[in-house]
Amino acid sequence: MPGGPATESWKRMVLRSMPVPAWLNEDAPDFDIAISSRTRYARNLRRFRFPHHASNDELRSIQRLVRDAARKEELSLEPHKRISEAERDYLIGCRLISPEFLHREPGRMIMLDDPRSISVMINEEDHIRLQALTAGWSIRTASSLAGYVLEHLESSLEFAKAEDWGFFTSSPFNCGRGRRLSAMFHLIGLAHTKRLPSVLKALVSKGLSARGLFGESSRAVGAFFQVSSTEGPTSAFEGACDYLIRREREARFGVARTTIRERTDSACDFVLRASEISLADSLRIFGWMRWAASIGLSGCPAAVRDVDAWVSMLEVKGTTNEKSADRLRATFLRECLGL
């Protein structure tokens, strides 16, 4: 549906009235570099086909079984069967649902806890996509939260699995433990000093992968990277990410404050002059603003978590009229930066 100034004004008002997700907490380890940590589980119910093959009646049955299991186990998860487009964009921006989640299709549902740290997508790629998203570098906390919910759901539901294969998933790459550990990093120091390719290569050699801000379908723009692993113990993932944080700190230490000042001033000048700003350029601008905020650069119009909140409010999918979406982003950035 095409957007316009009135539509956008209403949408921003709706977004600002929504609960702040738990991962935006400022009291978090290494939050200047590690934006958030996540543990995700994929599970499917026995005797049901995967969502992309299941009938509408099957999908509705799966939805009912998962919802009833959460109630029976007294999990504090509120079901949201019908969400507006503004709510969908908020949940995508906060990474509580995936951009591919067909929320309007039969049998789809999202369940959320009050702090917005736990989300359960029903009938996305798998019957259950459960994740815990926590602030900063806190993968142990995320794993504990997700594990608690999974254990309770497993008490009331029968998951599809085999002794030799582990848990069945729609994608064969996720079979086995059906678990993905990930963390969102802002690696602008490594990107600026051209050290990022070699560091990412080292991570790949350890079995990790790097994606963009919104998962598989997005590019890593603005130096925002989601680093993840589906295999190995949590301790191995922790070690690799600790290495990444150390290397990013080393890279940032070697960049003069005057350079960061010049880049942020240039970004502000661009926002002031531009009538249209793409999603990619928006992320690059916010990337420099985030770095400036993290070092307390004088005159910076925001704190680190302000920038993270702004990123979560950017239009990911845009409108059917891309030029209109670009104009709306330009207006939004000027509003954020007080220009």
Side-chain angles (χ1 to χ4, degrees), residues 52 64 112 153 177 212 282 300 323-324:
H52 59 283
R64 185 174 61 256
L112 302 165
L153 289 178
R177 299 179 71 179
S282 298
C300 184
K323 289 183 71 67
S324 174

Side-chain angles (χ1 to χ4, degrees), residues 21 37 40 42 48 75 78 87 141 163 201 235 260 298 320 325:
S37 303
R40 190 204 72 193
F48 288 97
L75 296 170
E78 182 182 356
E87 289 171 321
T141 303
E163 185 174 341
K201 185 176 179 180
S235 58
I260 303 171
S298 62
T320 53

